[in-house]
């Protein structure tokens, strides 16, 4: 158990280069093994072919020549005995010399013990035959009577025996060749089977090694990819625990330490927001409460002038509390620290509710509000924040539209988006300011020079909320003719 763990740890420490080098080496050695196996088989194959060509077929050819020469010897000898022509005897001697020369040549070549014995026997037989011819020749030359028929019978017997022997030898050679070819066929069949097995083995091992190495690299990379996605979504908790090659392991450690630092920054940011919220809101609320107590006469009678001043203080501290809330909310959104509560919601109902809140303002300015949205598909949103968006945009439309104007709310559904448009017949926005109005504290100064109340934070907040929903917000406007604000929200959550 301990040994196998140690083994695993050692493998994990191998760099990507070492892993690739080892696997290539393994594959190359397997291929080298296969090549050696084939080379040795090829060598054996060559040896057998060589022995067939040089040994067997060579001897078969020589045996055939010997048979021809012996037949010629016997033919010339018999004719000489009959007609006593010297020329026939010379032809016999030539054939005999050729036979002997060929046989000597064969015996000088490297032969198997079996072949050596075979040719030695032929040599002995042939010498016997030559001796009989020489003896008969002596009788003929001395012109003395001898057993001519007896000599003829004996020579024929020996010649026939030799020819028969050589025929049998030739046949056994042919069988030998046949046996060798059969053996070769069996060997090549076996080699082909082994080759297929080795090929399949090499292929499977190669694929296995490649899969293991790829997995050991891809798996930690995928884990890191998932972790970075989590970090992008603001989740910094949990360390990456991966067994990987050193290079990737270092990267994982860097991601872990980055996570720890981000976590620390995150804590500092949340501390800052709660601290600021407490430090600013508490004294402002005290000022507001104190002013109200003074106004209500709890600390004695308040004169007209004092009442006017106290009203201004109360109104400004209320404005300041609102500003601090909006500013803190916006800062939280920008820092990605605001929590959204997403759920399926009916935007038409949210628009209705926002309109209800804003109706007093519309009525005060006799502005006609037309809501043509009708039934809308449900979308996944943070309902409270989305209502804040509508209150801001419709509120702006009412704020920047003079008396007796019109504000229209429309909706359109495309394949992927739900689009809401808020159009007014108000003062409009200069073309060069259309982009910047979504930046915080940007307020367009009206051509009249009149300052409209506001914080300059509304549209910046709208943009942050819509972006957090994966949506888009933009505006079209013509100065003096009115503005149109558009929000697009994705239909899929
Ligand atoms: P504010 O609190 O000033 O309304 P906003 O961020 O909501 O802040 O808007 C920024 C500026 O954009 C406004 O001060 C105004 O100049 C311009 N604006 C917004 N909506 C409209 C509109 N419907 N018509 C004309 N101007 C607008």
């Amino acid at each position: 158990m301990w040994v196998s763990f140690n083994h695993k740890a050692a493998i994990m420490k191998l760099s990507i280069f070492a892993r690739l080098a080892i696997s290539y080496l393994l594959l190359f050695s397997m291929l080298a093994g296969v090549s050696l196996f084939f080379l040795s088989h090829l060598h054996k194959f060559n040896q057998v072919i060589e022995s067939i060509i040089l040994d067997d077929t060579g001897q078969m050819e020589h045996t055939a020549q010997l048979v021809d020469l012996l037949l010629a010897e016997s033919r010339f000898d018999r004719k000489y005995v009959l007609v006593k022509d010297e020329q026939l005897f010379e032809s016999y001697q030539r054939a005999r010399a050729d036979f002997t020369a060929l046989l000597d040549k064969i015996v000088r070549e490297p032969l198997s013990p079996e072949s050596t014995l075979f040719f030695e026997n032929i040599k002995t037989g042939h010498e016997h035959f030559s001796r009989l011819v020489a003896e008969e020749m002596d009788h003929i030359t001395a012109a003395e009577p001898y057993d001519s028929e007896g000599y003829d019978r004996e020579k024929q017997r020996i010649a026939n025996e030799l020819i028969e022997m050589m025929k049998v030898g030739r046949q056994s050679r042919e069988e030998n060749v046949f046996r060798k070819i059969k053996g070769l066929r069996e060997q090549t069949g076996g080699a082909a089977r082994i080759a297929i097995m080795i090929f399949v083995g090499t292929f499977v091992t190669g694929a296995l090694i490649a899969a293991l190495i790829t997995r050991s690299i891809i798996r930690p990379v995928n884990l890191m990819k998932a972790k970075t996605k989590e970090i992008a979504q603001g989740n910094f908790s949990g360390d990456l625990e991966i067994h990987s090659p050193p290079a990737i392991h270092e990267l994982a450690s860097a991601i872990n330490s980055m996570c720890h630092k981000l976590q620390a920054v995150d804590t500092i940011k949340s501390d800052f927001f709660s601290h600021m919220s407490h430090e600013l809101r508490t004294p402002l609320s005290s000022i507001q409460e104190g002013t109200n107590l003074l106004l209500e006469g709890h600390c004695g009678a308040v004169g007209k002038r004092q009442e006017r001043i106290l009203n201004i203080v109360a109104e400004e501290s209320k404005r300041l509390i609102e500003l601090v809330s909006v500013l803190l909310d916006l800062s939280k959104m920008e820092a990605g620290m605001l929590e959204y509560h997403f759920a399926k919601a009916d935007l038409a109902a949210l628009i209705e509710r926002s309109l209800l809140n804003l109706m007093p303002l519309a009525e005060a300015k006799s502005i006609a509000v037309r809501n043509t949205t009708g039934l809308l598909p449900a979308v996944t949103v943070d309902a409270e924040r989305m209502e804040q968006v509508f209150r801001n945009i419709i509120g702006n439309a009412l704020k920047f539209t003079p008396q007796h104007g019109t504000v229209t709310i429309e909706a359109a559904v495309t394949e992927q988006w739900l689009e809401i448009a808020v159009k007014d017949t108000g003062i409009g926005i200069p073309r060069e300011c259309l982009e910047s109005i979504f930046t915080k504290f940007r307020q367009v100064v009206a051509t009249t020079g009149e300052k409209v109340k506001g914080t300059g934070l509304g549209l910046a907040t709208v943009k942050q909320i819509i972006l957090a929903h994966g949506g888009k917000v933009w505006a079209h406007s013509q100065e003096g003719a009115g503005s149109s604000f558009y929000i697009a929200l994705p239909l899929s959550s």
Side-chain angles (χ1 to χ4, degrees), residues 392-393 396-397 399-400 424 427-429 437 439 442-445 452-460 483 485:
N392 260 305
I393 292 187
N396 275 350
K399 197 158 69 172
F400 296 103
D424 64 55
I427 57 171
I429 304 160
I437 51 169
T439 313
R442 286 292 162 83
Q443 289 177 301
V444 181
V445 180
V452 186
K453 272 192 184 171
T455 57
L457 295 174
L459 287 180
S483 315
F485 281 79

Side-chain angles (χ1 to χ4, degrees), residues 112-131:
S112 65
E114 190 192 330
S115 300
T116 313
L117 188 69
F118 171 73
F119 286 110
E120 288 296 344
N121 287 340
I122 288 176
K123 196 174 178 185
T124 316
H126 183 250
E127 278 166 2
H128 191 191
F129 178 83
S130 302
R131 251 194 329 274

